[in-house]
Amino acid sequence: MSSTTSLQWDLTTIFSGGDATSGQFQEHVNKLEKSINDLSSDVNDGVLTSMSFSDYFLTFQRLTAEVQEASAFISCLLSDDTRDQEAKKWKMVTVQLGSRLKAMEADFEHFLASLEDEEWRDLVQKPELDGLTFPMEERRERAKGKMDKQLEQLAESLSKDGYHGWNDMYSTLIGHIRVTVDGETLSVGQANTKLGSSDREEREKWSQALRKEWEKYEDVFAETLNHLGGFRLSLYEGRGWSDPLHEPLLINRMSEETLDSMWSAIEDVKPALVKFLERKKQMLGIEEMKMHDVSAPMGTTVSSETPFSTAIDQIERHFRKLSPIMADFARESAEKRWIELRIVISKELEGFVRVSRSPIKAVCS
């Protein structure tokens, strides 16, 4: 039996202090900024002045991982408390650092795309780049389908207040919504948990209350989402991409044929899913299946919460049947307090998983 009882994660395992005022975190970010400045200054009109290409690439790779870790830390803080103003300030810093690296990436990819085939073969045969041929080849091919590097760099610079800015606005708006039923006021994320109640009347009340709150802001959310989509589509137009699936397929390293096959598989099992939902409707004793009924618990037992330690034991036991590595990882995540499970009104809407660099740490909310 597990002795794990804490529902609160321990972010001090990533940076001492565990919040945005952490001296270790701020020193980490300040060093990153200097390192990015140093790396950027070594490139003059797309030509390296003092570093070898392999040193540049490996340094770029390391800095990218470190910026991602800083960004993940801030995301954890804001998921825990959407009102954390200090974390918001540092989020802008990490976004700016990420955008600078993206702009440098355009330079890097342009260089790869400009290489003749013989030069490319000589480059990837360097021992220090062993194991990195695939991501470099991938970047080289992607660069051929993008705009000129100056335009790509401009687009990345504009994305801070465009693409990323609208996404942050969307998260902030959701964080301010409160849902009230019978005198109980919850955040959107908390209210969503009520949709899993075994009491259909309770599910119905919270479902209606959530819909009512969403409808209050539907114009604002529609405009926000349209701007997010508009930024992306304008960028696609500049790159000459007519298919809106082009980038998602690239990111997921997937062909359109694979995507079509996946959808075909879904179509094939639809009859079984419909049959399941029809049977569930009968077992719930209802005439019409609503959205809040789809994930409703089955059975006649009274709904109750499972203690965290018991849940971890069950997860570990079932994981171990399939993968001892996953089972060990689940246990380690709980014992080292990489998991956040408290139900508080200041939390973000969605749950997520973030993985930081070595030593690997998963943080879940």
Side-chain angles (χ1 to χ4, degrees):
M1 175 67 69
S2 171
S3 60
T4 303
T5 57
S6 177
L7 301 182
Q8 184 175 7
W9 55 18
D10 180 12
L11 295 180
T12 62
T13 60
I14 303 177
F15 292 107
S16 63
D19 61 29
T21 65
S22 163
Q24 185 187 19
F25 167 71
Q26 294 184 7
E27 182 182 4
H28 173 78
V29 174
N30 290 333
K31 284 183 176 179
L32 271 176
E33 187 170 15
K34 181 181 184 306
S35 297
I36 291 172
N37 287 338
D38 291 343
L39 189 64
S40 178
S41 65
D42 198 73
V43 181
N44 183 16
D45 196 24
V47 178
L48 294 172
T49 57
S50 64
M51 299 177 71
S52 67
F53 173 80
S54 56
D55 286 342
Y56 178 88
F57 180 73
L58 293 171
T59 302
F60 180 87
Q61 187 180 46
R62 175 179 60 80
L63 292 176
T64 299
E66 291 179 356
V67 168
Q68 288 173 344
E69 180 175 44
S71 177
F73 180 69
I74 289 299
S75 293
C76 290
L77 295 177
L78 288 172
S79 76
D80 205 17
D81 185 357
T82 57
R83 305 162 301 182
D84 188 335
Q85 296 302 314
E86 187 70 13
K88 287 183 178 181
K89 181 182 77 175
W90 283 95
K91 178 174 183 177
M92 289 306 302
V93 176
T94 59
V95 167
Q96 289 169 357
L97 292 179
S99 292
R100 288 194 61 194
L101 284 174
K102 280 288 187 181
M104 292 166 65
E105 184 178 61
D107 234 343
F108 165 67
E109 290 181 343
H110 175 75
F111 166 75
L112 293 181
S114 69
L115 292 176
E116 298 294 338
D117 290 344
E118 186 175 349
E119 293 176 307
W120 169 252
R121 286 192 293 270
D122 290 342
L123 177 64
V124 296
Q125 287 174 3
K126 291 180 180 294
E128 60 267 33
L129 296 177
D130 183 46
L132 298 174
T133 302
F134 174 75
M136 289 173 59
E137 176 73 46
E138 191 174 50
R139 289 174 182 272
R140 185 172 185 240
E141 290 303 313
R142 288 185 182 185
K144 295 175 181 178
K146 292 185 178 181
M147 301 179 290
D148 292 341
K149 67 174 183 179
Q150 290 86 358
L151 290 176
E152 286 290 340
Q153 290 170 337
L154 176 61
E156 185 55 44
S157 177
L158 293 174
S159 73
K160 295 195 301 293
D161 294 313
Y163 198 55
H164 300 300
W166 281 108
N167 185 63
D168 291 343
M169 175 63 73
Y170 181 69
S171 298
T172 299
L173 288 170
I174 292 176
H176 280 81
I177 293 178
R178 296 294 179 262
V179 187
T180 301
V181 170
D182 296 337
E184 183 179 9
T185 300
L186 302 176
S187 66
V188 173
Q190 289 176 305
N192 277 336
T193 65
K194 298 290 188 178
L195 303 182
S197 170
S198 59
D199 184 342
R200 191 171 195 247
E201 183 178 351
E202 182 178 27
R203 294 199 306 272
E204 185 76 35
K205 285 182 179 180
W206 285 101
S207 177
Q208 291 176 356
L210 277 164
R211 178 180 290 276
K212 183 179 178 180
E213 290 302 317
W214 285 121
E215 288 175 347
K216 285 182 183 178
Y217 301 96
E218 60 184 358
D219 291 343
V220 178
F221 284 128
E223 187 171 345
T224 303
L225 292 171
N226 283 338
H227 281 303
L228 281 167
F231 184 96
R232 183 166 45 85
L233 292 175
S234 295
L235 183 59
Y236 290 177
E237 183 179 1
R239 290 173 175 170
W241 296 352
S242 58
D243 184 358
L245 290 177
H246 182 81
E247 187 175 42
L249 291 172
L250 279 178
I251 292 172
N252 288 282
R253 293 169 176 155
M254 182 189 298
S255 68
E256 190 165 356
E257 290 76 16
T258 300
L259 181 61
D260 290 340
S261 295
M262 291 171 66
W263 277 117
S264 294
I266 291 171
E267 290 290 338
D268 289 343
V269 299
K270 266 188 180 179
L273 177 60
V274 171
K275 186 176 180 180
F276 164 78
L277 292 175
E278 287 291 340
R279 179 57 179 151
K280 183 169 186 177
K281 183 176 71 173
Q282 294 174 9
M283 294 181 69
L284 289 173
I286 57 179
E287 294 183 2
E288 182 183 1
M289 179 78 79
K290 298 290 184 66
M291 194 64 200
H292 57 74
D293 295 318
V294 173
S295 58
M298 301 296 297
T300 57
T301 57
V302 177
S303 176
S304 63
E305 293 185 357
T306 301
F308 180 45
S309 57
T310 302
I312 288 296
D313 289 335
Q314 292 175 352
I315 291 170
E316 180 187 9
R317 184 171 66 254
H318 290 295
F319 270 178
R320 200 162 295 283
K321 297 174 184 177
L322 300 172
S323 168
I325 294 176
M326 289 177 65
D328 292 341
F329 184 61
R331 171 60 56 195
E332 185 179 15
S333 297
E335 297 292 353
K336 293 186 176 180
R337 293 177 58 192
W338 296 343
I339 304 174
E340 168 62 42
L341 286 172
R342 293 172 301 155
I343 300 177
V344 292
I345 202 165
S346 60
K347 276 192 173 183
E348 232 178 25
L349 170 61
E350 306 95 348
F352 67 92
V353 175
R354 287 279 189 180
V355 181
S356 73
R357 63 188 173 88
S358 181
I360 292 178
K361 306 179 186 75
V363 283
C364 315
S365 177

